[in-house]
Amino acid sequence: MSNHPILQSFIAGQWLGQQAKQSLLSPITGEVIYTTHSDVIDFGQSIDFAKTKGRKSMLAMDFQTRASCLRDLGKYILEHKESLYEISALTGATRADSWVDIEGGAGTLFAYASMGRRELPSGNLIHEGDAIPLGRDGHFYGSHILVPRHGVAVHINAFNFPIWGMLEKFAANFIAGMPCIVKPATSTSFLTEACVRLMQQSGFLPEGSLQLVIGRTGDLLDRLDGQDIVTFTGSAATAAKLRVTPNLINNSVPFNAEADSLNCAILAPDVSVDSPEFDLFVKEVAREMTAKAGQKCTAIRRVLVPENHIEAVSERLIARLAKVTVGDPRINDVRMGALASHDQQRDVLEQLDTLLKTSSTLCGGTDSFELVGTGTDKGAFCQPTLLLSNDPDAEGGAHDIEAFGPISTLMAYKDLDHAVLLAARGKGSLVSTLVTKDPSVAAVVVPELAVWHGRVHILDEQAAKESTGHGSPLPMLKHGGPGRAGGGEELGGIRGVTHYMQRAAIQGSPTMLGAVTKEFVRGGATIETEVHPFRRYFENLQIGESLVTHRRTVTEADIVNFGCLSGDHFYMHFDDIAARESQFEQRIAHGYFVLSAAAGLFVSPGEGPVLANYGLDNLRFITPVPIGTTIRARLTCKRKIDQGKVSPKGEPQGVVVWDVQVTNQDDELVASYDILTLVKKQSN
Ligand code: NDP
């Protein structure tokens, strides 16, 4: 029997693992801290559980309720974060490193919760874009829908962010309505296990929505089918191997990879040594080298600097790095902890050896260094190491070798074209930073960088006040890069959710498309009753419920009154000669008058369930409205979203989007838009 806690997998709703297998060593002291389990996982049962129980419990919810559930999970994790911080320190991470992993992970849940609530409909189907008329008379339309895939998402994760790495993927597949099986990297899987235990204990996790694999994936990938999806974060070598698993290829299982990345930072030639941007550059590079002991897929590996600034940059960087105390991350003064494992340390030192064939050491390197803390001499530490490339144009070196630790290589460039060329030599990266004071430099360089980098961070004095930094992927921005970086895409707002959904084109009559999308499509069947739609509570309103208003003839007095009221005396409304010479050949009414007049036509003025009008989307003024035009409006309930919200006065309410068409006496469309309202519910 092992004396160390045995990590357990969470499979088919049960914690599994009684027999010890592989010992996991503390990267701080080299002592055994956990063991994995040898109990065999039945992956057939696991997949089946995800696809039956998991799918059922998740689709019993909808985008909105799953978003609320993510928020609750995030809150629960934060309430219990100290227990995670304690375990996180055992991975070699400082408190600041752990913050990114733990609170960054919970923050990603919150971000997806709020994006989901704001941007997704009720139900489990996304209607993508407006329906497109495919016939001449509006009887046949086409559009796109997205539905949750019927499979399971298998996430194979890296060792460096055991919590964030799981949650950034889980947030997206969860909102989409797809269950997942998470396989963390073994060396730090104890932290992922602790987080999954918390999530399960919270009571918020729908049954089967999340399973955890400690150890290897056995025959899991061989059992997947075309509805499943695999995401991978780790080394390019493993990505290349797993990507070509015959079963994944035969069944066209999507494989999203996020792999090694030789990210760079460029100091533009316009930045002088005494400018604030120069300091920002040095600070950013030093921070990226030492945060998480350089074990970040986004860390700056290549530091591109104009030839004339190499000396100044290296001096300042060396001075900064000299202040970084390395040791046991649980000790307050320690700024940089250990690498995640002894294997990782071996790997990093080997890569450093290879890098030294094409570069020289400016600071750090393989010499012994001071460590803080008891027992740390047996730990997996590496000191901050700055190298100088002997020949940045030569093959190999830092353009090819990733030392996944606190190691970066300084490279001298001649001019900006040369810098852009060198940046591309990384063959595709997750992120690059450009530090410049000059917007015209950014305008030229950024599009060039964008071809090779998943994200481009432009840093100047203004941005620095709030910059989230080179190395931080954000939930609302795409994470993933081309080529060597894996060619994958994660996050990026709701785009990240749609990766777990299947897109289909649909065609049919507007009535049929409306029924499928639960969204009124113009030309589709409408429901007209004696009751004004504004007088109906949220629950009672039906999609397609519509009102055609009485008419109103626009007069010169309307234009004059509106001009005086608004102060808008634009020549097109008031200068008869100029208006006659214009493309409209006559004076026309203000577009905003038409909008206001339409509201006057369709609003039901008495107190009712409509609580507020909070905006307007897709406004177009289509046909001009000259004096004498007779307009009318059609108001139709287009979409309903139940976000489970209550008004400040405690009244439960939902969002109703109304389609508005304003037409003239010839039935031509004059103005077209959606109005957004909050409508009271009759009950909770
Ligand atoms: P690996 O590619 O070896 O491992 C990544 C994940 O894949 C781990 O969960 C690992 O599990 C799993 N894995 C490995 N082989 C298989 C397999 N045959 N079948 C199923 N799963 C498998 O990367 P490492 O974690 O060892 O890191 C190595 C290097 O990868 C680093 O030095 C660094 O260069 C790069 N890296 C890149 C990251 C990025 O975000 N882009 C993040 C971390 C590392 P297990 O742990 O059980 O082996």
Side-chain angles (χ1 to χ4, degrees):
M1 266 298 279
S2 161
N3 297 324
H4 310 287
I6 300 173
L7 299 173
Q8 293 188 305
S9 298
F10 185 54
I11 301 292
Q14 305 292 326
W15 287 97
L16 173 146
Q18 303 296 328
Q19 305 299 322
K21 189 179 179 188
Q22 181 190 343
S23 299
L24 302 183
L25 306 188
S26 159
I28 305 166
T29 60
E31 295 161 324
V32 178
I33 44 175
Y34 292 95
T35 66
T36 61
H37 68 77
S38 61
D39 313 49
V40 176
I41 297 172
D42 179 345
F43 285 108
Q45 181 201 20
S46 166
I47 293 173
D48 187 54
F49 191 73
K51 292 190 182 186
T52 50
K53 290 271 169 43
R55 194 172 123 69
K56 189 167 169 222
S57 64
M58 291 179 84
L59 296 188
M61 305 165 86
D62 73 351
F63 297 121
Q64 294 294 324
T65 43
R66 284 194 297 275
S68 304
C69 182
L70 272 192
R71 184 198 52 204
D72 294 338
L73 280 167
K75 275 192 197 159
Y76 192 85
I77 289 172
L78 284 190
E79 279 160 20
H80 297 80
K81 66 181 182 183
E82 287 309 323
S83 65
L84 295 176
Y85 271 108
E86 220 169 281
I87 299 170
S88 180
L90 301 177
T91 68
T94 62
R95 185 147 182 120
D97 296 337
S98 302
W99 184 89
V100 176
D101 194 30
I102 300 166
E103 307 203 29
T108 304
L109 299 189
F110 291 134
Y112 267 97
S114 93
M115 287 187 285
R117 284 165 71 91
R118 234 182 14 247
E119 297 176 41
L120 293 177
S122 293
N124 282 312
L125 177 148
I126 298 175
H127 181 204
E128 209 179 39
D130 282 333
I132 311 151
L134 300 175
R136 225 183 281 160
D137 298 323
H139 301 307
F140 189 56
Y141 274 71
S143 203
H144 291 94
I145 57 169
L146 287 155
V147 287
R149 294 170 73 92
H150 275 201
V152 61
V154 174
H155 301 312
I156 300 177
N157 288 340
F159 62 82
N160 50 351
F161 289 103
I163 294 180
W164 178 85
M166 167 175 68
L167 296 182
E168 59 118 3
K169 294 174 179 174
F170 167 78
N173 72 248
F174 187 80
I175 294 251
M178 195 177 182
C180 70
I181 300 173
V182 176
K183 183 259 179 285
T186 303
S187 58
T188 54
S189 53
F190 51 89
L191 182 52
T192 315
E193 196 230 40
C195 187
V196 171
R197 279 192 192 277
L198 271 184
M199 291 166 79
Q200 194 238 341
Q201 279 160 19
S202 75
F204 294 125
L205 208 55
E207 186 184 30
S209 57
L210 171 64
Q211 298 183 66
L212 172 74
V213 174
I214 298 291
R216 281 298 168 97
T217 46
D219 61 357
L220 174 60
L221 300 190
D222 299 326
R223 290 175 172 273
L224 301 180
D225 66 34
Q227 286 296 314
D228 302 318
I229 188 163
V230 178
T231 74
F232 172 83
T233 304
S235 66
T238 312
K241 187 167 119 191
L242 297 184
R243 196 194 285 282
V244 295
T245 305
N247 181 54
L248 300 186
I249 293 177
N250 294 341
N251 284 301
S252 309
V253 179
F255 186 91
N256 189 81
E258 206 244 277
D260 312 1
S261 177
L262 294 159
N263 315 291
C264 65
I266 303 175
L267 179 72
D270 64 88
V271 178
S272 60
V273 178
D274 51 5
S275 67
E277 277 77 5
F278 199 91
D279 283 337
L280 288 172
F281 180 80
V282 170
K283 208 164 139 192
E284 194 71 10
V285 172
R287 190 174 60 186
E288 285 301 316
M289 284 178 69
T290 52
K292 199 81 194 179
Q295 302 168 106
K296 290 205 306 188
C297 51
T298 50
I300 297 169
R301 307 286 176 207
R302 299 175 299 145
V303 186
L304 308 185
V305 172
E307 283 170 332
N308 60 330
H309 286 335
I310 279 282
E311 216 173 295
V313 169
S314 59
E315 264 172 28
R316 291 210 204 166
L317 261 177
I318 292 167
R320 247 183 191 276
L321 294 173
K323 291 189 199 137
V324 177
T325 40
V326 185
D328 187 333
R330 292 166 293 197
I331 298 172
N332 264 347
D333 299 340
V334 168
R335 294 262 312 280
M336 195 175 91
L339 297 177
S341 67
H342 291 78
D343 281 351
Q344 200 50 36
Q345 185 194 36
R346 233 178 344 264
D347 207 38
V348 169
L349 294 178
E350 266 173 39
Q351 305 292 34
L352 174 58
D353 238 23
T354 317
L355 282 172
L356 283 171
K357 293 190 177 120
T358 54
S359 57
S360 48
T361 310
L362 292 173
C363 73
T366 47
D367 296 344
S368 63
F369 58 101
E370 199 182 326
L371 276 171
V372 181
T374 327
T376 44
D377 52 326
K378 294 204 175 54
F381 293 92
C382 177
Q383 64 182 321
T385 298
L386 185 65
L387 307 177
L388 176 67
S389 168
N390 299 339
D391 178 5
D393 291 312
E395 286 302 315
H399 295 307
D400 282 322
I401 313 284
E402 186 193 38
F404 207 66
I407 298 172
S408 296
T409 304
L410 213 52
M411 294 180 167
Y413 72 79
K414 297 182 188 75
D415 54 28
L416 269 177
D417 285 345
H418 189 211
V420 166
L421 217 68
L422 291 178
R425 293 281 299 280
K427 300 175 193 67
S429 307
L430 292 170
V431 51
S432 61
T433 283
L434 171 69
V435 178
T436 179
K437 290 170 88 72
D438 185 347
S440 67
V441 167
V444 172
V445 174
V446 171
E448 296 293 328
L449 294 177
V451 179
W452 289 103
H453 300 84
R455 176 163 58 87
V456 183
H457 170 232
I458 312 164
L459 190 59
D460 63 0
E461 202 183 1
Q462 185 185 12
K465 295 188 180 100
E466 292 183 331
S467 167
T468 45
H470 165 101
S472 304
L474 298 175
M476 56 294 280
L477 297 181
K478 177 200 136 174
H479 178 50
R484 181 175 173 143
E489 247 188 53
E490 293 171 355
L491 303 174
I494 293 302
R495 256 170 298 196
V497 173
T498 61
H499 296 153
Y500 298 96
M501 305 187 77
Q502 183 60 42
R503 178 177 289 107
I506 55 167
Q507 294 169 287
S509 69
T511 303
M512 291 300 165
L513 260 54
V516 173
T517 60
K518 307 230 172 2
E519 200 169 282
F520 173 69
V521 175
R522 282 187 187 167
T526 52
I527 305 157
E528 287 169 39
T529 68
E530 288 302 306
V531 182
H532 190 291
F534 274 19
R535 311 227 60 85
R536 292 208 192 273
Y537 285 94
F538 183 81
E539 300 92 324
N540 304 334
L541 252 176
Q542 297 180 64
I543 304 291
E545 200 150 332
S546 190
L547 168 87
V548 180
T549 69
H550 56 283
R551 291 184 292 263
R552 169 177 181 164
T553 301
V554 177
T555 64
E556 179 173 18
D558 289 332
I559 295 178
V560 172
N561 283 335
F562 192 80
C564 292
L565 196 64
S566 63
D568 176 352
H569 291 100
F570 192 56
Y571 72 89
M572 201 63 81
H573 316 306
F574 287 98
D575 180 339
D576 198 46
I577 297 169
R580 266 191 277 141
E581 285 167 0
S582 77
Q583 59 175 327
F584 302 122
E585 298 176 345
Q586 58 191 316
R587 288 166 64 197
I588 58 169
H590 304 70
Y592 299 110
F593 166 73
V594 175
L595 210 64
S596 310
L601 292 171
F602 65 64
V603 154
S604 169
E607 202 180 336
V610 176
L611 298 171
N613 170 356
Y614 74 92
L616 181 155
D617 277 344
N618 308 321
L619 172 64
R620 289 289 178 280
F621 297 123
I622 295 155
T623 310
V625 177
I627 295 161
T629 304
T630 300
I631 58 169
R632 75 175 353 165
R634 177 182 275 281
L635 173 84
T636 310
C637 175
K638 179 174 178 177
R639 189 186 313 137
K640 288 167 62 181
I641 308 166
D642 186 355
Q643 298 178 319
K645 282 197 175 159
V646 289
S647 74
K649 290 183 71 184
E651 299 152 312
Q653 61 187 23
V655 170
V656 178
V657 180
W658 304 86
D659 175 81
V660 181
Q661 302 172 72
V662 184
T663 47
N664 63 16
Q665 60 281 355
D666 300 322
D667 278 339
E668 291 169 318
L669 200 56
V670 160
S672 169
Y673 50 100
D674 294 343
I675 55 172
L676 315 169
T677 60
L678 297 172
V679 177
K680 208 184 331 185
K681 285 189 196 165
Q682 210 156 17
S683 56
N684 279 325

